[in-house]
Amino acid sequence: FCKRDYDDALRCYDMAYAIYSGINGECDPDAAMCLNNIGNVYLSQEKYHEALEMYEKSLEIRLKVFGTRHRLVATSYNNLAIVYGRIGDCSRTIENYRCSYDILVDIFGEHDSRTIGALENIVDYYLQSGDEEGAMEYIKRGAHVGSVMCTTYLRMKGVTVE
């Protein structure tokens, strides 16, 4: 994207947010979606503080509207984890990835592709951080539910997958 595309996207999402929140109030799921999308633009621009602010506001609305166990709440936690990972806050990254994963397990079960993707996010972050020990619990869990990434990793390490 070029700078103009980001500016146009932000302007459109801001207008949409104003419309949704103006019609339906601050706790509107469409307003939360607009805030999430604004966060996505800021993330793409590497404006991490602004992205965090938007993702946190979106999460706050989604928790009020949907409660703690909804796929969009899981998405918000995942987005927060991405930003915390980019700014180097390991504990908040893992905390948010785990929240996302736990919600998806509750909603879809362990074998669902969305849940496996969330599990792989945890594994990937641990491995990128050089924490193989932290990743191992999730790698083994992933191998048992059909994660190709986790199974391949164990095989490369010479660990038998049962």
Side-chain angles (χ1 to χ4, degrees):
F1 291 106
C2 68
K3 182 186 179 329
R4 179 182 160 94
D5 292 337
Y6 289 128
D7 292 343
D8 288 345
L10 287 172
R11 191 176 66 257
C12 290
Y13 290 137
D14 281 336
M15 287 188 330
Y17 173 75
I19 292 168
Y20 287 125
S21 61
I23 294 171
N24 300 317
E26 290 289 321
C27 285
D28 179 73
D30 292 320
M33 177 190 61
C34 293
L35 292 171
N36 184 78
N37 290 341
I38 293 168
N40 290 342
V41 173
Y42 285 138
L43 179 63
S44 295
Q45 294 178 303
E46 299 180 355
K47 294 180 178 180
Y48 300 126
H49 176 73
E50 293 90 340
L52 273 177
E53 182 181 344
M54 294 299 111
Y55 289 148
E56 287 169 350
K57 286 180 181 179
S58 178
L59 174 61
E60 182 180 329
I61 294 170
R62 287 173 171 174
L63 285 168
K64 288 178 185 174
V65 172
F66 301 121
T68 57
R69 296 296 186 232
H70 190 277
R71 65 178 179 77
L72 292 176
V73 173
T75 297
S76 289
Y77 282 119
N78 185 76
N79 290 344
L80 285 167
I82 291 168
V83 177
Y84 282 124
R86 299 265 176 94
I87 63 174
D89 190 332
C90 297
S91 64
R92 285 189 170 169
T93 301
I94 292 300
E95 173 188 339
N96 281 281
Y97 274 142
R98 284 180 179 161
C99 286
S100 178
Y101 172 74
D102 290 342
I103 292 167
L104 294 174
V105 168
D106 285 351
I107 296 170
F108 301 114
E110 288 184 325
H111 293 83
D112 184 83
S113 62
R114 292 164 283 204
T115 306
I116 292 170
L119 182 138
E120 290 174 347
N121 287 341
I122 296 170
V123 169
D124 187 51
Y125 186 75
Y126 271 125
L127 293 176
Q128 285 187 22
S129 301
D131 186 356
E132 186 176 19
E133 185 178 323
M136 196 52 69
E137 170 193 347
Y138 294 96
I139 290 170
K140 289 178 180 176
R141 191 181 301 179
H144 289 306
V145 296
S147 165
V148 173
M149 174 185 144
C150 294
T151 303
T152 302
Y153 183 83
L154 288 173
R155 286 187 181 139
M156 286 173 31
K157 291 292 183 175
V159 177
T160 305
V161 182
E162 299 173 14

